[in-house]
């Protein structure tokens, strides 16, 4: 493998954020992407449900190699069993195979001119306190790579940003603790919808998901608030044990992860350094999904990094945070307000809302459009007060 | 140094550790010198692999 001595930009991490940043930066600059894992795309920390807009907006082909199932809607199950269902005629999204999807994105970056190297562990290289590149450990070899700019896309751990003096330490309350089994041989209805089970008793501040990958195969996972004493595994195993249709299934894969759901960082940029993706908390705080968000963050960062190199003006990257704020950040802040409301509900209140809200209402909430949805709780004084406080906060 | 066995390397403990005592490079290691025994990583671990009590016990020995 050929890692050169010098690049305009080094991207650390080849997940969806890093590969997308690299692809767009490579339009105007020389780009190296390093990933510490031996295989790009693995291990995944993901339920693998991706909305159709991600494919449309980023021009990703509908390729059978990484698409498992077409998804036409979703069902949210309240604690009392009430189902809020949305089913559309058109495809709303897909359940994908992240291992292959992530490799496709890395391939796309390479075809656009970037160099990608797996099994490469990077740390920052500073001279006189200034960031001048990265040190890379690749297959036992230590290399020094000089670069004008570094983009950290190193995931939820986000150690690179901390090395740069940006405090990205998560508090457990702002993270979801997750585990997921890929199960096969299950008996579950409506395998063209995403299934979501909510309730504080079932999954504190989170939910259980069943995302179909075949007629008899699905990702069955859970996310719970990070400071819950019992483990995510405890809650997921308990959920499965109560459902014979799942209990009969085999386990093909076990995935474990943490999702930063406390809202995105404000401080994305420092000198010639940027943070993108999970490392920058670019995640929808309502459902913890983030493929679309991190790719958007990656595109914005990659575009502006390339432009800064082309114009030899590092100050340009300061605009990254502002651009993010206007294209996505403002909306995600609204979504966080909704989440702050929802997380305070007890199971009785969730059941009550399941009676007055529709599946479409829930969709609007995940997009941060809460005004008309919250108007429906006018007859419940306590919830109305909570909602009002939220809107005014 | 203490190695975490059977870890899935999800990085949750690394993300929440206030003293950066946990590193994942090929394997997951808690640096006992840096660890302040706050137990946040134990809470965060989705599968319950970290046991702060065992770090404290090691100290006594």
């Amino acid at each position: 493998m050929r890692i050169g001595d010098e690049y305009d930009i080094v991207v650390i991490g080849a997940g969806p954020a890093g590969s997308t940043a690299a692809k767009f930066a490579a339009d105007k600059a020389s780009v190296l992407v390093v990933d510490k894992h031996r295989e790009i795309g693995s291990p995944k920390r993901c339920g693998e449900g991706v909305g159709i807009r991600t494919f449309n907006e980023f021009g990703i082909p509908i390729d059978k190699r990484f698409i498992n199932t077409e998804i036409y809607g979703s069902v949210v199950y309240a604690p009392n069993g009430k189902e809020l269902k949305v089913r559309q005629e058109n495809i709303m999204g897909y359940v994908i195979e992240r291992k292959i999807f992530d490799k496709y994105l890395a391939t796309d970056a390479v075809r656009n001119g970037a160099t990608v190297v797996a099994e490469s562990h990077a740390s920052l290289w500073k001279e006189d306190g200034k960031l001048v590149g990265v040190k890379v450990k690749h297959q036992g070899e230590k290399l020094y790579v000089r670069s004008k700019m570094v983009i950290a896309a190193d995931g939820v751990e986000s150690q690179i940003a901390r090395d740069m003096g940006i405090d990205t330490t998560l508090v457990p309350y702002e993270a979801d603790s997750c585990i997921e089994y890929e199960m096969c041989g299950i008996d579950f209805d409506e395998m063209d919808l995403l299934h979501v089970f909510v309730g504080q008793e079932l999954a504190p501040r989170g939910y259980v998901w069943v995302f179909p990958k075949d007629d008899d195969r699905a990702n069955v996972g859970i996310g719970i608030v990070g400071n819950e004493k019992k483990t995510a595994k405890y809650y997921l195993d308990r959920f499965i044990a109560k459902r014979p249709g799942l209990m009969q299934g085999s386990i093909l894969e076990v995935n474990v992860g943490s999702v930063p759901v406390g809202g995105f960082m404000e401080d994305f940029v420092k000198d010639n350094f940027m943070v993108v993706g999970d490392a920058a908390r670019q995640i929808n705080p309502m459902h913890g999904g983030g493929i679309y968000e991190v790719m958007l963050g990656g595109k914005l960062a990659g575009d502006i990094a390339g432009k800064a190199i082309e114009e030899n003006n590092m100050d340009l990257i300061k605009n990254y945070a502002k651009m993010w704020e206007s294209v996505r950040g403002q909306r995600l802040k609204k979504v966080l307000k909704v989440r702050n409301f929802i997380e305070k509900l007890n199971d009785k209140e969730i059941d009550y809302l399941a009676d007055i809200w529709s599946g479409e209402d829930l969709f609007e909430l995940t997009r941060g459009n809460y005004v008309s949805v919250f108007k429906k709780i006018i007859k419940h004084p306590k919830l109305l007060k909570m909602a009002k406080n939220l809107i005014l906060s | 140094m203490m190695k975490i066995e059977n870890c899935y390397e999800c990085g949750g403990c690394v993300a929440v550790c206030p003293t950066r005592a946990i590193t994942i490079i090929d394997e997951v290691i808690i640096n006992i010198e840096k660890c302040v025994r706050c137990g946040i990583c134990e809470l965060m671990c989705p599968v319950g692999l970290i046991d702060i009590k065992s770090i404290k016990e090691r100290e006594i020995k």
Side-chain angles (χ1 to χ4, degrees):
Chain A
M1 184 36 249
R2 304 162 294 274
I3 296 181
D5 297 332
E6 200 169 345
Y7 295 85
D8 293 325
I9 300 164
V10 174
V11 180
I12 301 173
S19 288
T20 307
K23 176 190 170 175
F24 286 95
D27 279 339
K28 290 176 176 147
S30 64
V31 181
L32 171 71
V33 190
V34 289
D35 194 287
K36 68 176 181 178
H37 294 104
R38 289 187 174 145
E39 182 181 7
I40 285 165
S42 183
K44 65 167 192 239
R45 302 154 172 173
C46 187
E48 301 185 305
V50 180
I52 188 101
R53 73 183 295 189
T54 306
F55 290 82
N56 294 341
E57 283 186 30
F58 295 101
I60 299 168
I62 308 303
D63 188 326
K64 283 210 167 74
R65 284 174 293 185
F66 50 72
I67 287 175
N68 291 141
T69 34
E70 295 172 348
I71 296 298
Y72 291 87
S74 62
V75 198
V76 176
Y77 301 81
N80 65 5
K82 169 126 201 229
E83 299 177 14
L84 300 186
K85 194 187 293 187
V86 175
R87 179 182 279 286
Q88 292 195 353
E89 297 225 330
N90 301 323
I91 295 170
M92 292 182 78
Y94 301 96
V95 174
I96 62 166
E97 194 69 42
R98 271 292 297 276
K99 284 181 199 115
I100 306 172
F101 182 78
D102 282 24
K103 261 189 204 157
Y104 163 78
L105 295 179
T107 305
D108 203 25
V110 171
R111 289 183 182 146
N112 211 38
T115 300
V116 179
V117 188
E119 206 180 353
S120 299
H121 198 278
S123 56
L124 297 178
W125 176 17
K126 290 182 191 169
E127 273 177 359
D128 303 324
K130 281 193 177 144
L131 180 64
V132 296
V134 295
K135 299 174 204 167
V136 181
K137 232 171 90 184
H138 172 64
Q139 295 178 323
E141 203 180 344
K142 200 162 182 186
L143 304 157
Y144 285 75
V145 181
R146 213 166 260 286
S147 73
K148 296 183 184 121
M149 196 184 297
V150 175
I151 299 176
D154 57 327
V156 63
E157 300 97 311
S158 192
Q159 293 295 297
I160 299 292
R162 289 205 233 178
D163 286 336
M164 198 59 197
I166 301 174
D167 185 12
T168 55
T169 312
L170 266 186
V171 295
Y173 186 70
E174 290 178 351
D176 277 354
S177 174
C178 308
I179 181 165
E180 171 186 88
Y181 303 131
E182 183 182 327
M183 302 189 80
C184 186
I186 62 171
D187 181 15
F188 209 83
D189 288 338
E190 299 194 273
M191 295 293 268
D192 55 353
L193 302 177
L194 299 182
H195 300 263
V196 171
F197 298 78
V198 298
Q200 303 288 8
E201 165 67 17
L202 184 96
R205 216 273 309 270
Y207 61 94
V208 171
W209 63 84
V210 177
F211 287 1
K213 285 170 88 73
D214 250 324
D215 287 344
D216 64 345
R217 184 166 68 103
N219 286 331
V220 182
I222 190 170
I224 61 166
V225 63
N227 60 3
E228 163 62 27
K229 265 218 132 108
K230 292 198 186 85
T231 63
K233 181 177 174 351
Y234 164 84
Y235 284 100
L236 181 61
D237 288 346
R238 192 182 65 168
F239 175 87
I240 291 169
K242 286 180 186 163
R243 285 161 182 83
L246 294 177
M247 196 61 192
Q248 71 184 39
S250 296
I251 294 177
L252 304 185
E253 198 173 303
V254 181
N255 293 289
V256 173
S258 305
V259 185
V261 290
F264 58 89
M265 291 166 40
E266 301 282 340
D267 193 12
F268 290 136
V269 177
K270 192 173 178 186
D271 306 327
N272 52 346
F273 177 82
M274 282 193 275
V275 192
V276 298
D278 275 19
R281 322 297 183 219
Q282 289 167 327
I283 298 283
N284 182 313
M286 180 103 166
H287 52 58
I291 300 285
Y292 175 75
E293 274 76 18
V294 307
M295 288 183 68
L296 192 56
K299 179 180 188 291
L300 294 175
D303 263 341
I304 203 152
K307 210 168 160 211
I309 295 293
E310 189 183 51
E311 295 179 17
N312 197 22
N313 178 6
M314 288 301 152
D315 282 346
L316 276 183
I317 65 172
K318 286 180 186 155
N319 295 322
Y320 166 45
K322 255 183 264 161
M323 286 160 57
W324 167 263
E325 180 76 23
S326 69
V327 299
R328 199 65 188 159
Q330 281 170 1
R331 183 157 292 274
L332 289 186
K333 281 179 181 170
K334 285 184 183 171
V335 178
L336 185 59
K337 282 187 173 188
V338 176
R339 213 287 308 289
N340 287 339
F341 171 76
I342 302 266
E343 72 182 3
K344 291 181 185 72
L345 303 171
N346 61 38
D347 282 3
K348 249 179 93 180
E349 288 161 347
I350 298 173
D351 286 337
Y352 171 80
L353 290 173
D355 277 334
I356 57 171
W357 282 350
S358 66
E360 283 81 3
D361 287 337
L362 296 184
F363 260 113
E364 291 306 315
L365 291 180
T366 63
R367 294 179 183 132
N369 301 327
Y370 53 71
V371 177
S372 65
V373 182
F374 280 165
K375 272 186 186 156
K376 294 188 178 177
I377 45 185
I378 203 139
K379 283 179 189 155
H380 195 301
K382 185 193 158 197
L383 292 182
L384 186 68
K385 197 178 161 206
M386 269 168 67
K388 264 189 182 159
N389 288 342
L390 168 110
I391 291 166
L392 296 174
S393 69
Chain B
M1 298 289 167
M2 191 171 115
K3 195 181 156 189
I4 305 297
E5 305 287 345
N6 304 317
C7 173
Y8 295 85
E9 303 188 7
C10 79
C13 55
V14 180
V16 296
C17 180
T19 61
R20 305 187 67 185
I22 312 175
T23 47
I24 306 180
I25 302 172
D26 302 328
E27 52 187 20
V28 183
I29 305 276
I30 300 184
N31 183 333
I32 308 282
E33 305 286 311
K34 283 189 182 173
C35 170
V36 292
R37 282 68 163 161
C38 67
I40 289 177
C41 56
E42 188 179 307
L43 271 181
M44 194 64 211
C45 181
V47 284
L49 292 177
I50 303 176
D51 180 16
I52 290 296
K53 225 169 59 199
S54 73
I55 299 183
K56 287 179 181 164
E57 278 164 9
R58 257 171 72 139
E59 216 166 31
I60 294 160
K61 280 173 203 162

